[in-house]
Amino acid sequence: MVVGGEDQVLRRIEELLDAPTSGAAAPSLASLEHTLTEGYAEALALEAERLRATDELVTLATRVTHADVELGKLRAMLDRLQARTRALRKAS
């Protein structure tokens, strides 16, 4: 997918929609069909990119959740170790 390609497709679609529907200035059927095909191809490319990004977000969210759980365990153990260290200091 070319960066900005969707902007070009959108611009061409707008031009075709703004053009007269009949007469010499009206776009040809071939031009309409070509732009329609390009538009659908761009839509598919954007949907694929959206799916990839969604998958990445899910993966990152899973990693964050795992890190939160592990961090909670580590903090709890550190608290216990700190309490034991304090007790040993007081005893000595």
Side-chain angles (χ1 to χ4, degrees), residues 6-7 14 28-29 32 38 43 45 49 58 61 64 78:
E6 65 270 10
D7 291 338
E14 286 175 0
S28 67
L29 178 60
L32 293 172
E38 279 186 312
E49 178 60 28
V58 168
V64 167
L78 287 169

Side-chain angles (χ1 to χ4, degrees), residues 6-38:
E6 65 270 10
D7 291 338
Q8 293 174 4
V9 172
L10 285 172
R11 186 177 38 78
R12 283 197 302 273
I13 291 170
E14 286 175 0
E15 289 171 0
L16 290 172
L17 290 172
D18 290 341
T21 58
S22 61
S28 67
L29 178 60
S31 175
L32 293 172
E33 289 175 340
H34 177 75
T35 303
L36 190 60
T37 300
E38 279 186 312

Side-chain angles (χ1 to χ4, degrees), residues 31-70:
S31 175
L32 293 172
E33 289 175 340
H34 177 75
T35 303
L36 190 60
T37 300
E38 279 186 312
Y40 280 122
E42 188 64 36
L44 288 172
L46 287 170
E47 286 176 1
E49 178 60 28
R50 181 180 179 278
L51 286 173
R52 282 190 294 276
T54 300
D55 287 347
E56 289 175 22
L57 285 172
V58 168
T59 299
L60 288 173
T62 301
R63 288 175 56 197
V64 167
T65 300
H66 177 74
D68 285 345
V69 168
E70 292 302 309

